């Protein structure tokens, strides 16, 4: 039996409030100093294990290391001619500077005589290729920034120079900064909701401390696993959202207890052993959902999942230790620096709006269920047009050099030049080269192929590479179809009589492989998370209908969010509101991450609402009244929490990076849907239809499922230890 007492933790934190506050301050400072001096380097790798693109990189690294890395394209445009003497005077020194940078092992320019096709037909656009010894995902961001700065120097000299490649994309996306606006909006909402700067400041302080320590821990984590740089933005987004929400739930209950006449110590204890238990349950669910991403077998997922988990755990710890300490400091002065007085009200009074709302829904539960499902159905409908894939640089804003380089390459050479396939053969001797020359002829004759280079053997003749340029852009469905035809038909047929093995790689192929890999595993991941959450809800609420209802409604709200994201990605009027003007595929890892994050976060509201309903039901045994009173007591705080979460997530829709933008759209939509259609409409309606049956649990299942019992609802005059018991 494992025992954890919220009451004891609360008592210790309030009794040693100065120690707790000092420990968090010192901890944040120490973790920051440690992370700054001992933090690992952010890395990311998108090559899915077991795919052709991964096999291509492995083969190149083993036998042709000079060709194993990605490339960066330097695009030059000049009306007088891209290879004119004036342009050459500026660009050749630039390329020489690039050649001296770390990880650049070769430079192929329009002037070295090796690439006559590196100049457009009208002569105004040319490009040079920088060969790296690492993949773009592992190219240091500071080197990419340095390249961008050098290109700007060339522009200042009067020549248009733009850069393309994953290494440059990573450098341009290194700083997001969407957390600040979200935090500001959250602060405004908290101030309006509480009417007090002191009350509003407590959730913000709790979240900032928890997120701060969590992000520093993520930097240290980078010494152990590959952590993508954007993982910190995802972790901050989740941490701020749940951190503010967790503290908001507790502070709201604390103020409610003060209003009802409780003293400070009792109010803190009651808040922590009621709303605090919701925080424990919701936090565990978020952690379980995030860890479920590990089943996807993608190399960058552990760093993302562990960073987010660390942040959530520290936020939860702050809510359970730092917040009660801060509450004990503020005491009854929590409403200081406010613009209105808190009125003593009975939250379950029939005069309350949310009580009347609940009763209205309960009087017509079938109509409410039909209306709620109809709304969800409309939102889910666009999911039929959802296309998974990796967007190319044509979706970037024109303020980024990668977008301008994409446009120039498309204008001068065709859109396919932005996503060349790399074909790697496991032999490069004379016999193999003859076979590969025949393969090249077959590839050139294949519809959808713009150009194919001659095979280039490795120095030892044990490998060879060919570059194939499609006619269509990297994100075009036609490019995916071409990749499938090459692998399944054209290449096997052309090599049928030989013993040369060829795999197709390159960034575009790697993106397609990652999409397929995640898509194949996604259903199993969804089922695993739902199953774990179902068992957890069973253990908490001891009710089969409650667990089934929660799992189904949460799933529907997330699928509806997918529909909203898909509608935005179509690039119509809705997408244009967020800067998405053309139909754009959604990376497959986004639905995966959204599900892991949202399924856990939606449990915040589920657990908070149902815990209050159950608390009232156990006291009154009136199911219908418990739903109405529970909704009346929690609807206001759920609405405020949803607005805050929406603000935090919604701030990311203004980011230049499409994948953060679409995550922000989808997650903000999911929170709104979950807090309105689900919590305020479908939950009271379904609970009314279920009646007392909502709390049914067969005896045999009750014996099998572990007990997670946190009974803090009945806090009377004497302190009652509140425990989590696992049998």
């Amino acid at each position: 039996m494992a025992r954890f007492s919220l009451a004891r933790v609360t008592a210790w934190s309030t009794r040693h409030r100065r120690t707790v506050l000092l420990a968090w301050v010192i901890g944040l400072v120490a973790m920051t100093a440690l992370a700054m001096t001992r933090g690992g380097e952010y890395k990311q790798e998108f090559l899915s294990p077991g795919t052709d693109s991964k096999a291509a990189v492995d083969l190149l690294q083993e036998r042709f290391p000079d060709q194993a890395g990605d490339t960066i394209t330097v695009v030059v445009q000049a009306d007088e001619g891209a290879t004119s003497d004036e342009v050459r005077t500026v660009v050749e020194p630039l390329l020489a500077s690039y050649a001296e940078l770390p990880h650049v092992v070769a430079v192929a320019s329009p002037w070295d005589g090796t690439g006559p096709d590196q100049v457009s037909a009208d002569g105004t656009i040319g490009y040079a290729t920088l060969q790296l010894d690492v993949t773009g995902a592992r190219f240091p961001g500071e080197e990419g920034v340095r390249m961008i700065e050098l290109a700007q120097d060339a522009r200042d000299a009067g020549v248009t120079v733009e850069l393309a490649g994953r290494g440059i994309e990573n450098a341009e996306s290194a700083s997001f900064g969407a957390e600040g606006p979200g935090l500001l909006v959250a602060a405004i909402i908290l101030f309006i909701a509480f009417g007090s700067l002191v009350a509003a400041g407590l959730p913000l302080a709790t979240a900032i401390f928890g997120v701060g320590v969590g992000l520093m821990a993520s930097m240290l984590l980078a010494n152990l696993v590959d952590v993508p740089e954007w993982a910190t933005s995802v972790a901050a987004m989740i941490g701020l959202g749940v951190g503010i929400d967790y503290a908001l739930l507790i502070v709201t209950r604390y103020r409610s207890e003060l209003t009802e006449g409780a003293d400070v110590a009792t109010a803190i204890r009651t808040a922590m052993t009621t709303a605090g238990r919701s925080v424990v349950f919701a936090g565990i669910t978020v952690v379980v959902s995030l860890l479920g991403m590990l089943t996807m077998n993608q190399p960058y997922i552990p760093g993302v999942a562990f960073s987010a988990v660390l942040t959530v755990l520290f936020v939860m710890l702050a809510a359970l230790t730092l917040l009660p300490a801060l509450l004990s400091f503020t005491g009854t002065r929590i409403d200081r620096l406010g613009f209105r007085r808190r009125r003593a009200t009975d939250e379950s009074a029939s005069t309350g709006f949310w009580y009347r709302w609940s009763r209205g829904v309960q009087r017509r539960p079938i109509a409410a269920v039909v209306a709620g499902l109809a709304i969800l159905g409309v939102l889910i409908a666009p999911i039929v047009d959802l296309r998974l894939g990796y967007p190319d640089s044509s979706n970037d804003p024109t303020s980024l050099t990668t977008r301008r380089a994409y446009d120039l390459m498309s204008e001068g050479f065709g859109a396919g030049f932005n996503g060349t396939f790399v074909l790697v053969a496991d032999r490069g001797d004379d016999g193999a080269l003859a076979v590969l020359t025949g393969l090249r002829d077959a590839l050139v004759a294949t519809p959808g192929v713009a150009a194919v280079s001659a095979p280039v053997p490795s120095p030892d003749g044990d490998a060879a590479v060919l570059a194939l340029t499609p006619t269509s852009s990297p994100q075009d469905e036609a490019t995916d179809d071409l990749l499938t035809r090459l692998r399944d038909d054209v290449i096997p047929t052309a090599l049928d009589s030989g013993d040369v093995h060829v795999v197709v790689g390159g960034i575009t192929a790697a993106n397609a492989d990652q999409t397929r890999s995640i898509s194949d595993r996604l259903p199993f991941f969804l089922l695993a998370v739902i199953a774990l959450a179902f068992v957890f809800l069973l253990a908490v609420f001891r009710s089969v209908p409650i667990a089934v209802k929660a799992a189904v409604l949460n799933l529907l709200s997330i699928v509806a969010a997918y529909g909203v994201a898909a509608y935005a990605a179509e690039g119509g009027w809705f997408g244009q509101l967020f800067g998405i003007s053309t139909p754009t595929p959604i990376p497959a890892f986004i639905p995966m991450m959204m599900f892991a994050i949202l399924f856990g976060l939606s449990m915040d509201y589920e657990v908070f609402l149902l815990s209050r309903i159950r608390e009232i039901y156990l006291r009154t045994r009136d199911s219908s009244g418990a739903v109405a009173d529970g909704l009346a007591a929690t609807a206001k705080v759920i609405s405020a929490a949803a607005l805050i979460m929406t603000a935090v997530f919604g701030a990311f829709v203004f980011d230049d990076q499409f994948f953060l933008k679409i995550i922000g759209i989808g997650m903000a939509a999911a929170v709104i849907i979950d807090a309105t259609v689900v919590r305020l409409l479908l939950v009271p309606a379904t609970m009314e239809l279920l009646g007392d049956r909502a709390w049914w649990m067969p005896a045999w299942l009750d014996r099998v499922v572990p007990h997670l019992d946190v009974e803090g609802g009945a806090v009377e005059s004497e302190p009652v230890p509140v425990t989590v018991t696992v049998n």
Side-chain angles (χ1 to χ4, degrees):
M1 175 181 294
R3 297 177 66 84
F4 167 71
S5 172
L6 283 172
R8 291 192 184 95
V9 171
T10 300
W12 189 92
S13 298
T14 54
R15 190 165 57 248
H16 302 89
R17 59 187 183 181
R18 289 182 176 81
T19 301
V20 171
L21 178 57
L22 185 61
W24 274 98
V25 172
I26 293 175
L28 179 57
V29 172
M31 286 291 288
T32 301
L34 191 60
M36 293 297 104
T37 56
R38 294 289 185 267
E41 180 183 347
Y42 288 119
K43 300 175 185 175
Q44 53 192 352
E45 187 57 79
F46 295 100
L47 295 169
S48 300
T51 60
D52 259 22
S53 53
K54 179 67 165 63
V57 170
D58 290 343
L59 188 59
L60 287 172
Q61 289 176 338
E62 177 187 349
R63 304 183 186 180
F64 209 162
D66 287 346
Q67 297 289 324
D70 289 340
T71 60
I72 289 176
T73 304
V74 183
V75 189
V76 180
Q77 190 273 334
D79 292 339
E80 65 272 21
T83 57
S84 65
D85 291 339
E86 295 85 351
V87 173
R88 184 171 186 175
T89 301
V90 175
V91 176
E92 278 200 326
L94 172 66
L95 297 179
S97 297
Y98 285 156
E100 296 175 358
L101 294 176
H103 302 293
V104 178
V105 295
V107 178
S109 80
W111 296 285
D112 62 12
T114 62
D117 295 330
Q118 290 177 247
V119 180
S120 63
D122 64 3
T124 61
I125 299 173
Y127 70 92
T129 301
L130 310 180
Q131 180 65 53
L132 307 179
D133 60 3
V134 294
T135 60
R138 291 186 175 272
F139 186 64
E142 60 271 16
E143 296 301 328
V145 171
R146 177 60 180 153
M147 286 186 168
I148 295 172
E149 292 172 348
L150 290 172
Q152 182 58 50
D153 293 340
R155 291 189 207 104
D156 294 341
V159 177
T160 298
V161 177
E162 307 296 347
L163 304 176
R166 177 162 285 175
I168 302 300
E169 291 175 359
N170 295 340
E172 288 194 301
S173 63
S175 179
F176 304 120
E179 299 87 347
L183 198 59
L184 177 61
V185 175
I188 295 172
I189 295 171
L190 283 170
F191 181 60
I192 294 173
F194 284 137
S196 161
L197 283 176
V198 174
L202 293 178
L204 291 173
T206 304
I208 289 171
F209 270 97
V211 170
V213 175
L215 293 182
M216 296 305 103
S218 298
M219 293 180 67
L220 295 173
L221 176 70
N223 290 300
L224 304 176
V225 298
D226 285 359
V227 178
E229 190 151 12
W230 51 268
T232 57
S233 285
V234 173
M237 177 169 56
I238 299 169
L240 287 174
V242 301
I244 295 174
D245 266 15
Y246 292 168
L248 173 63
L249 303 183
I250 294 172
V251 171
T252 299
R253 186 60 185 262
Y254 170 74
R255 296 172 82 235
S256 173
E257 294 300 316
L258 288 181
T259 300
E260 294 176 1
D263 59 68
V264 171
T266 302
I268 294 176
R269 184 173 66 250
T270 303
M272 295 305 301
T273 54
T274 53
R277 67 178 175 177
S278 301
V279 168
V280 173
F281 293 156
I284 292 174
T285 308
V286 171
V287 169
V288 169
S289 298
L290 291 170
L291 291 178
M293 292 194 297
L294 298 177
T295 62
M296 301 305 292
N297 193 33
Q298 298 298 315
Y300 59 90
I301 288 299
V304 177
F306 292 148
S307 294
V309 165
L310 282 172
T311 305
V312 171
L313 289 176
F314 278 111
V315 160
M316 197 165 67
L317 182 62
L320 299 179
T321 59
L322 177 61
L323 183 56
L326 294 176
L327 287 173
S328 69
F329 275 114
T330 59
T332 57
R333 299 186 301 276
I334 193 169
D335 291 314
R336 293 284 298 276
L337 303 178
F339 62 87
R340 68 168 183 261
R341 288 182 176 273
R342 187 176 74 252
R343 297 189 302 271
T345 58
D346 181 359
E347 291 179 305
S348 65
S350 59
T351 57
F353 171 79
W354 291 113
Y355 182 90
R356 296 196 304 273
W357 170 271
S358 180
R359 283 307 193 188
V361 171
Q362 289 174 302
R363 281 193 294 271
R364 300 175 181 83
I366 295 178
V369 169
V370 171
L373 293 179
I375 294 171
L376 292 179
V378 171
L379 296 174
I380 290 172
I383 203 171
V384 298
D385 297 319
L386 174 66
R387 182 165 77 90
L388 298 180
Y390 209 92
D392 56 36
S393 296
S394 65
N395 301 284
D396 293 342
T398 54
S399 59
L400 299 183
T401 186
T402 49
R403 168 60 187 274
R404 298 192 296 268
Y406 179 96
D407 291 342
L408 288 175
M409 289 295 289
S410 297
E411 177 187 344
F413 306 95
F417 271 78
N418 293 288
T420 301
F421 293 135
V422 178
L423 281 64
V424 186
D426 60 355
R427 286 176 50 198
D429 53 61
D430 292 341
L433 292 178
V435 173
L436 294 175
T437 299
L439 170 62
R440 179 179 183 274
D441 294 338
L443 294 172
V444 169
T446 301
V449 174
V452 184
S453 69
V456 178
S458 64
D460 295 333
D462 55 357
V465 296
L466 301 87
L468 183 150
T469 303
T471 57
S472 51
S473 70
Q475 72 177 28
D476 198 314
E477 286 185 272
T479 304
D480 286 342
D481 294 339
L482 173 63
L483 178 62
T484 300
R485 291 201 312 275
L486 293 178
R487 287 173 170 172
D488 296 346
D489 181 24
V490 178
I491 294 176
T493 299
L495 300 179
D496 186 49
S497 59
D499 58 354
V500 179
H501 179 62
V502 174
V503 289
V504 183
I507 293 177
T508 303
N511 290 336
D513 287 340
Q514 183 187 155
T515 298
R516 291 167 185 165
S517 177
I518 293 178
S519 299
D520 290 344
R521 290 173 173 265
L522 193 58
F524 303 102
F525 162 69
L526 302 183
L527 290 174
V529 172
I530 292 172
L532 288 172
F534 176 79
V535 173
F536 183 72
L537 287 168
L538 274 182
V540 171
F541 292 110
R542 319 307 299 170
S543 164
V544 173
I546 290 291
V548 171
K549 174 193 66 63
V552 171
L553 292 183
N554 287 347
L555 179 61
L556 287 176
S557 67
I558 294 172
V559 175
Y562 286 169
V564 174
Y567 192 49
E570 290 178 12
W573 69 269
F574 184 62
Q576 290 175 13
L577 295 176
F578 310 106
I580 304 173
S581 57
T582 57
T584 307
I586 294 178
F589 69 83
I590 288 182
M592 171 197 66
M593 289 180 58
M594 282 179 58
F595 187 87
I597 297 168
L598 292 171
F599 200 86
L601 294 183
S602 63
M603 288 299 174
D604 285 5
Y605 308 137
E606 184 76 22
V607 171
F608 185 61
L609 173 58
L610 290 178
S611 293
R612 197 62 178 265
I613 292 174
R614 185 169 185 258
E615 177 185 328
I616 298 170
Y617 175 75
L618 292 176
R619 187 172 67 244
T620 65
R621 294 297 170 179
D622 176 7
S623 178
S624 182
V627 172
D629 288 342
L631 186 63
T634 60
K636 183 178 179 181
V637 68
I638 286 177
S639 300
L643 283 173
I644 291 168
M645 197 89 78
T646 302
V648 173
F649 294 155
F652 284 81
V653 306
F654 301 107
D655 198 279
D656 289 337
Q657 303 303 308
F658 174 81
F659 82 93
L660 279 180
K661 186 188 297 289
I662 208 70
I663 286 177
I665 293 171
M667 292 183 63
V671 171
I672 295 172
I673 294 166
D674 190 78
T676 55
V677 179
V678 174
R679 302 294 156 229
L680 302 181
L681 191 62
L682 290 175
V683 168
T686 54
M687 291 291 287
E688 178 68 18
L689 291 173
L690 289 170
D692 289 337
R693 295 185 298 272
W695 308 105
W696 172 76
M697 180 88 157
W700 67 268
L701 187 59
D702 188 59
R703 290 191 298 270
V704 172
V705 176
H707 283 252
L708 290 178
D709 184 22
V710 185
E711 294 305 336
V715 178
E716 304 295 344
S717 58
E718 295 297 326
V720 179
V722 180
T723 62
V724 180
T725 305
V726 182
N727 292 328

